[in-house]
């Protein structure tokens, strides 16, 4: 059953940042974290479950997630300079799709409205806003300090292409941002190569030579600190190429982000304000098929190519059996954003149903 969300879609990103989290994430209940019995990229963790980059805007949200047994929370994507949020609204419900959002279906408009029901799918459109590094680095240090033994706080970063920047400076922006997260104490860094809400014609993760360049430069700088890259849904051939090229450079792949689709109001008009927001990322139940499929293929490629990268699965985990599906497909770590937002006790339910992970 859906409860009231810990991120309030009726408020802006900034109001949520200042006033949140809400509802179940501020009920004061702190759950025990069990003994650390799993390994994730060299860190002992108590359970292979987390919340991916997105709904955890700052340390207050991260702390609430840790208290509710979300073992590996990821702090929302940050940037090397302050960056504004897309205009409100940023989250709307999808009521017209009960089954899978296939890539074919995602070509046609999807009706969105401020209504949330099961099976839960939503669109989210923030454009990766960020406070200044000074603010988020301090906030990250706090976030990490809240982790109990067996818990691991990650953070996500996205490079920014600014007016007049050379390609080298752009790569350097990624490297510097990753270094800032490392300096704040993050042990597993995530590079968000798959944000669909910026209006770029194509996602960075599909440009394999550029991904290789950026990943190599980051790893050269951060050394033994772990690097996970967050990617979108890939076709078979594209995924084979990506993994062949960077599977031995990065330490893990996180998949999927969202599936972009045109979003409209019930009367057919554009739902989100702004020329670059005709399409918006869809997440939740409707994209689970894509996340599970990517995890399965990443696991197959890992064994075929004799690689060792970790696999983080996300997309549509809204009930405990979704967690099981991801684990069976080969995920080392499973994450839930949409499902967690409307059910803070989902981690508890998953752990109770599958105590052995
Ligand atoms: C409110 C919200 C904000 C998000 N922001 C980010 C983000 O900043 N960086 C990122 O890599 N993914 C972001 N995502 C995508 C999630 O990390 C995840 O990949 C996607 O939502 C699929 O998981 P889900 O079906 O459990 O929501 C966001 C998702 C939601 C729901």
């Amino acid at each position: 059953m859906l409860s009231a969300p810990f991120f309030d879609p009726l408020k802006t990103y900034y109001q949520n940042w200042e006033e949140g989290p809400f509802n179940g994430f501020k009920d004061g209940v702190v759950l025990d974290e069990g003994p650390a019995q799993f390994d994730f990229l060299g860190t002992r963790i108590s359970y292979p479950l987390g919340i991916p980059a997105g709904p955890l805007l700052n340390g207050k949200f991260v702390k609430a997630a840790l208290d509710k047994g979300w073992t590996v929370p990821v702090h929302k994507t940050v940037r090397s300079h302050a960056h504004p949020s897309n205009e409100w609204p940023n989250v709307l419900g999808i009521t017209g799709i009960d089954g899978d959002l296939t890539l074919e279906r995602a070509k046609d408009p999807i009706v969105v409205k401020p209504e949330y029901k099961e099976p839960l799918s939503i669109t989210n459109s923030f454009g990766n806003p960020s406070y200044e590094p000074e603010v988020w680095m301090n906030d990250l240090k706090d976030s990490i300090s809240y982790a109990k033994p067996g818990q691991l706080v990650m953070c996500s970063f996205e490079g920014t292409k600014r007016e007049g920047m050379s390609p080298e400076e752009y790569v350097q922006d990624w490297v510097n941002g990753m270094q800032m997260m490392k300096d704040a104490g993050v042990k597993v860094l995530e590079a968000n190569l798959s944000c669909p809400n910026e209006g770029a014609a194509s996602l960075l993760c599909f440009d394999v030579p550029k991904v290789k360049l950026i990943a190599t430069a980051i790893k050269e700088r951060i050394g033994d600190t772990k690097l996970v890259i967050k990617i979108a849904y890939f076709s078979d051939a594209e995924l084979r190429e990506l993994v062949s090229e960077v599977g031995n450079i990065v330490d893990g792949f996180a998949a999927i982000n969202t599936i972009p689709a045109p979003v409209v109001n019930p009367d057919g008009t554009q739902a989100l304000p702004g020329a670059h927001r005709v399409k918006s990322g869809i997440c939740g139940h409707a994209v689970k098929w894509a996340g599970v499929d990517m995890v399965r293929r990443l696991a197959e490629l890992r064994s075929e190519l004799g690689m060792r990268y970790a696999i983080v699965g996300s997309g549509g985990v809204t009930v405990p059996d979704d967690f099981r599906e991801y684990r069976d497909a080969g995920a080392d770590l499973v994450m839930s954003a949409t499902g967690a937002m409307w059910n803070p006790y989902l981690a508890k339910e998953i752990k109770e149903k599958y105590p052995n992970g």
Side-chain angles (χ1 to χ4, degrees), residues 94 96-97 101 104-112 260-265 267-271 278-279 282:
I94 289 162
I97 298 179
L101 176 65
E104 205 44 44
R105 175 67 186 84
K107 290 178 184 160
D108 296 329
I110 293 174
V111 174
V112 293
V263 289
V264 293
N265 295 312
D267 67 3
T269 55
Q270 184 177 330
V278 173
K279 283 188 173 187
I282 311 295

Side-chain angles (χ1 to χ4, degrees), residues 28 36 80 111 115 121 127 193 202 245 259 266 309 313 322 327:
S80 59
V111 174
E115 215 177 278
S121 298
L193 305 173
S202 170
E245 289 295 318
I259 295 183
Y309 54 78
D322 298 331
R327 289 288 279 166

Side-chain angles (χ1 to χ4, degrees), residues 212-265:
K212 189 172 183 179
L213 194 73
I214 291 171
T216 304
I218 293 171
K219 278 304 281 185
E220 272 171 13
R221 173 76 82 84
I222 64 171
D224 285 346
T225 303
K226 306 297 182 195
L227 172 65
V228 171
I229 60 173
K230 174 90 172 273
I231 59 175
Y233 184 78
F234 277 61
S235 70
D236 286 353
E238 287 169 329
L239 188 62
R240 179 174 289 274
E241 189 199 348
L242 177 76
V243 171
S244 307
E245 289 295 318
V246 307
N248 279 332
I249 298 170
V250 302
D251 301 287
F253 292 94
I256 60 167
N257 205 312
T258 52
I259 295 183
V263 289
V264 293
N265 295 312

Side-chain angles (χ1 to χ4, degrees), residues 7 52-55 76-78 90-91 122 124 126 128-129 156 190 192-195 230 255-258 282-285 287-288 314-318 335-341:
F7 173 99
K76 186 166 171 57
T77 305
V78 291
N90 307 100
V91 171
I122 63 169
N124 85 78
F126 293 85
N128 282 339
S156 161
E190 188 169 282
N192 180 5
L193 305 173
S194 47
C195 178
K230 174 90 172 273
I256 60 167
N257 205 312
T258 52
I282 311 295
C283 46
H285 178 77
V287 308
K288 185 180 74 174
S314 67
V317 175
T318 63
M335 298 213 169
S336 170
T338 306
M341 284 166 77

